[in-house]
Amino acid sequence: MTVHTSETDRPEQSERLVADIEQELSALFRRSRSASLRLARRVHPEMDAAGYALISQIELGTASGGPGVRASDVAQALGLDKSTVSRGITQLQNLGLIERVGDPDDGRARLLRLTAVGAERFGAMRTQRQTEFRAILERWNPTDLGDLGRLLSRLNADLS
């Protein structure tokens, strides 16, 4: 059966589709916040979800072998206030997961990087998370995976 939509039905249909997408994104964001806390606790039992975002960004910033990442760059990448990032960095440092090191390009500046313990724990958690995620997505066909990746990329670009 083919459903024909008239020009007058399109705005209403579009509104329903946008509402459905908004509802699904809200559910995804709630699950993501909950998952961030679980992942944080895998790294350290006292780490919170905000700490997970920080440590992830610090790891990302040093993954290419650089000496570290500036706190201001972490704040900018996450869209957070510098004071919020500073408090989170202090917590991660007190937990022994990150350290501040001198910036080889600017003797006055300090960079952030994972400690050996932080890198080990974060790496173990990431490996487990990727295994779980792959198990979920293995049930999807390649076309759907490609569409999801392309559309998420487009949404992220439009949101920035």
Side-chain angles (χ1 to χ4, degrees):
M1 173 187 216
T2 304
V3 176
H4 297 283
T5 56
S6 68
E7 289 296 319
T8 57
D9 292 337
R10 285 194 180 142
E12 184 179 307
Q13 180 185 21
S14 180
E15 285 182 35
R16 278 195 315 271
L17 292 171
V18 169
D20 289 347
I21 291 168
E22 182 180 21
Q23 183 177 354
E24 291 301 323
L25 284 173
S26 292
L28 180 63
F29 294 152
R30 283 191 307 275
R31 285 186 180 100
S32 177
R33 281 191 298 273
S34 177
S36 289
L37 181 57
R38 282 193 315 274
L39 294 171
R41 298 290 161 86
R42 287 181 189 173
V43 175
H44 193 285
E46 296 177 38
M47 191 165 87
D48 59 20
Y52 174 75
L54 292 172
I55 201 169
S56 296
Q57 194 62 42
I58 293 167
E59 194 278 336
L60 180 65
T62 58
S64 62
V69 61
R70 291 178 185 260
S72 60
D73 292 337
V74 172
Q76 183 179 2
L78 295 175
L80 297 173
D81 184 74
K82 288 180 185 179
S83 64
T84 302
V85 169
S86 180
R87 284 189 300 274
I89 286 169
T90 298
Q91 181 198 35
L92 293 175
Q93 195 171 10
N94 290 340
L95 295 175
L97 300 172
I98 66 167
E99 61 187 348
R100 296 175 193 262
V101 296
D103 184 341
D105 297 330
D106 181 353
R108 300 167 294 153
R110 306 288 282 164
L111 299 176
L112 306 169
R113 69 176 180 203
L114 300 182
T115 62
V117 169
E120 179 185 332
R121 289 183 179 185
F122 184 81
M125 177 280 309
R126 181 180 49 219
T127 298
Q128 184 178 3
R129 181 192 66 199
Q130 288 172 345
T131 299
E132 292 167 0
F133 206 57
R134 278 191 194 101
I136 292 167
L137 294 179
E138 280 178 354
R139 298 184 296 244
W140 290 42
N141 69 54
T143 301
D144 287 346
L145 287 172
D147 289 346
L148 177 64
R150 180 181 51 77
L151 292 171
L152 285 173
S153 176
R154 182 176 168 188
L155 179 62
N156 279 322
D158 287 349
L159 290 173
S160 61

